[in-house]
Amino acid sequence: MNTQSILQSPKRLVIALAAAGVLGAAAGGAYTSAHAVGSAPQPPVVAAAPMVAPIAAPDFSVITAQQGPAVVNISVSGMTKTALDGDDSGGGNGPAMPPGMSPNDPFYQFFRQFGGVPGQRQAPQRAVPTRAEGSGFILSPDGIILTNAHVVDGAKEVTVKLTDRREYRAKVLGADPKTDVAVLKIDAKNLPTVKLGNPKDLKVGEWVLAIGSPFGFENSVTAGVVSAKGRSLPDDGFTPFIQTDVPINPGNSGGPLFNARGEVVGINSQIYSRSGGYQGVSFSIPIDIAMHVKDQIVATGHASHAKLGVAVQQVNQAFADSFKLDKPEGALVSNVEKGGPADKAGLKSGDVILKVDGQPITTSGDLPAIIGQMAPGEKAKIEVWRDGSAKELTAQLGNASDKTQVAKADDTVAKGKLGLALRPLQPQEQKEAGVAGGLLIEDARGPAANAGIQQGDVLLSINGTPAKSVDQVRETVAKAGKSVALLIQRGDEKIFVPVNIG
């Protein structure tokens, strides 16, 4: 049975059962009625089943035949260090493992993360060869290939294999870890190439197709639908991922994601999994972002990204209520890098960024994705929500650093009153905390404690107003609605915490 028949057969079965039900009911009713009056039974009148247009899947065989030859298998070899066999106790520079523990043991990474076995020195190490595999696809007939940066990370040698079994040694022109895009070059001519599409035209629920080498099985084809667009993931703020339910496994990384017209709309990059294998959620880099990075790498050998210099967090309903926003959208600024582009432009903690150059910021993840695709030195118009109204600022963007731009927000919301015991900071405490004002939280109970606020935190502002005195905070809370947004500092980090007081 072909794919179309499989998809249609449940629909046909439902229709057939429904028709049988109508027939039985109509026949029984007609016979009983006719028998009651003593007349001859009449043929039952059967209502016609409603026509349902079948939903046909694309012809994946055509896409595979036409675009498959431009998909390649990538083999990577390198070197890594490991302990000498039979010696787990002497002379190395890293953590010591328990004697005889295999790297495949579930506790191996635990001991590595927490410094190894106490009192033991690391074993002498030796370099051993390693191999890995991934996927990629050909962009130009002269051998420009796209893949993931993590596929070629640390590679000493990269080999590209075509579907016709030809193999080439590849040169890594450049890799951009921030977007997980890498560009390879092989010495060849007249190569097959893929067609490129526009990921902005993708619709949730649309069919998509992946070709790659999962677990080393070259040129495997899997299909599914688009689950969501513009997904932001932790530590991947520069990429608004395409989420799909296409089965993606190790070895698929770097391969193309095709739409139903056989056009590449993304690069398969990551999966969400608790087992290490595919569990129904996979993520792809939009091809327009990848091509932007590719053009930079081909021209200069590297990619650059702009930065605004803020830490942001999600705006939930409690924050929206606190800041009098119509709906929970935008990126809430929890910290501004001193002397950075945002600071120079006049952005402040407590501002909610609504638009960048006219592009709406729906979630906090939209901001770094939009800024990251702009050029350092470029000017951006930033629309912010401050003190109950919109305001427009202009920022000249800087170069992206390795610092995380998106701070994790505590979305816990509790019920009841605020529950904070506060006192002014002493001059020495202000100096140690690196703040010019604020109040020390000596005790947190009730809703504040439930929202994650702790003893020792420093309260910097409430609903965007600097916290200068206990009385001022009390008055602000009294005038607030059902929730307040507290800006606290814990160590070197600043974050807004919503507290429901309604």
Side-chain angles (χ1 to χ4, degrees):
M1 184 180 291
N2 60 31
T3 305
Q4 183 169 344
S5 298
I6 291 173
L7 290 171
Q8 292 177 350
S9 57
K11 181 71 70 177
R12 290 173 178 168
L13 179 61
V14 171
I15 293 173
L17 291 173
V22 171
L23 177 60
Y31 176 78
T32 302
S33 175
H35 183 72
V37 298
S39 59
Q42 298 297 317
V45 178
V46 181
M51 297 298 294
V52 179
I55 301 175
D59 190 340
F60 296 129
S61 65
V62 173
I63 297 174
T64 304
Q66 292 177 346
Q67 304 299 317
V71 182
V72 301
N73 172 254
I74 297 174
S75 299
V76 175
S77 61
M79 301 293 289
T80 188
K81 291 184 178 181
T82 187
L84 290 172
D85 293 339
D87 189 347
D88 297 290
S89 61
N93 295 321
M97 298 295 108
M101 176 172 281
S102 166
N104 295 322
D105 191 294
F107 286 99
Y108 185 84
Q109 292 301 326
F110 172 83
F111 281 106
R112 283 183 60 86
Q113 181 178 358
F114 291 99
V117 179
Q120 277 193 315
R121 294 175 298 167
Q122 183 204 22
Q125 294 185 324
R126 65 176 176 180
V128 296
T130 59
R131 291 187 63 84
E133 290 193 326
S135 306
F137 51 98
I138 306 171
L139 290 177
S140 64
D142 61 349
I144 296 293
I145 295 171
L146 270 189
T147 187
N148 284 147
H150 75 259
V151 169
V152 297
D153 183 32
K156 297 297 182 183
E157 183 176 307
V158 180
T159 301
V160 170
K161 182 188 293 185
L162 276 60
T163 56
D164 60 9
R165 320 310 295 176
R166 285 184 292 169
E167 295 187 11
Y168 296 89
R169 183 74 59 84
K171 177 182 179 181
V172 179
L173 297 184
D176 180 39
K178 291 186 182 297
T179 55
D180 197 21
V181 173
V183 183
L184 311 181
K185 178 71 169 67
I186 61 175
D187 187 11
K189 295 180 180 179
N190 302 318
L191 295 173
T193 61
V194 296
K195 293 191 302 181
L196 301 182
N198 186 353
K200 291 183 174 62
D201 294 336
L202 271 180
K203 298 178 181 179
V204 174
E206 182 176 339
W207 281 102
V208 281
L209 176 77
I211 305 179
S213 304
F215 302 112
F217 296 107
E218 300 174 9
N219 308 114
S220 296
V221 180
T222 53
V225 298
V226 177
S227 304
K229 296 173 61 178
R231 286 289 197 220
S232 59
L233 302 179
D235 302 323
D236 285 293
F238 287 95
T239 306
F241 287 97
I242 303 167
Q243 179 187 326
T244 75
D245 70 348
V246 177
I248 299 295
N249 282 292
N252 274 116
S253 292
L257 183 74
F258 293 97
N259 62 19
R261 295 174 293 281
E263 301 166 334
V264 175
V265 290
I267 303 177
N268 300 314
S269 175
Q270 300 185 40
I271 60 173
Y272 180 87
S273 174
R274 295 181 178 178
S275 66
Y278 170 74
Q279 288 189 289
V281 180
S282 52
F283 300 95
S284 302
I285 305 160
I287 192 62
D288 55 344
I289 290 177
M291 291 298 292
H292 176 71
V293 172
K294 186 272 294 185
D295 291 341
Q296 293 185 71
I297 289 176
V298 171
T300 66
H302 68 277
S304 59
H305 302 277
K307 78 165 184 177
L308 184 58
V310 293
V312 296
Q313 61 188 86
Q314 201 72 272
V315 176
N316 59 19
Q317 187 61 55
F319 284 143
D321 294 339
S322 300
F323 293 109
K324 297 180 173 55
L325 287 164
D326 292 336
K327 51 187 174 180
E329 289 186 352
L332 174 59
V333 178
S334 59
N335 193 24
V336 178
E337 179 186 323
K338 188 174 181 180
D343 188 26
K344 294 177 181 178
L347 270 78
K348 302 177 180 179
S349 294
D351 287 344
V352 178
I353 299 177
L354 302 177
K355 293 181 181 180
V356 175
D357 281 347
Q359 299 183 69
I361 305 298
T362 303
T363 68
S364 60
D366 293 340
L367 179 68
I370 291 174
I371 295 294
Q373 300 312 308
M374 301 178 75
E378 188 175 346
K379 289 186 177 181
K381 293 182 179 179
I382 314 293
E383 182 179 321
V384 303
W385 183 262
R386 180 187 297 172
D387 298 330
S389 62
K391 181 183 180 77
E392 188 172 278
L393 304 172
T394 301
Q396 185 169 4
L397 304 175
N399 284 303
S401 68
D402 292 331
K403 295 180 180 179
T404 303
Q405 284 194 301
V406 180
K408 292 183 179 179
D410 185 345
D411 289 329
T412 305
V413 180
K415 297 179 180 179
K417 296 183 179 180
L418 193 56
L420 289 180
L422 305 167
R423 71 165 173 83
L425 288 167
Q426 299 299 320
Q428 183 61 29
E429 291 174 326
Q430 290 183 353
K431 184 176 180 181
E432 291 174 356
V435 296
L439 301 172
L440 180 66
I441 298 173
E442 292 191 310
D443 190 22
R445 299 182 182 182
N450 291 336
I453 297 175
Q454 302 174 7
Q455 179 183 2
D457 290 342
V458 177
L459 176 63
L460 300 178
S461 71
I462 180 167
N463 286 351
T465 302
K468 298 179 179 179
S469 69
V470 176
D471 289 340
Q472 178 211 24
V473 171
R474 186 179 296 113
E475 292 174 4
T476 304
V477 172
K479 297 176 182 178
K482 61 183 179 180
S483 64
V484 292
L486 306 184
L487 177 62
I488 66 166
Q489 178 165 318
R490 181 176 301 162
D492 294 330
E493 294 186 355
K494 296 177 183 178
I495 188 170
F496 277 95
V497 178
V499 181
N500 192 317
I501 58 175

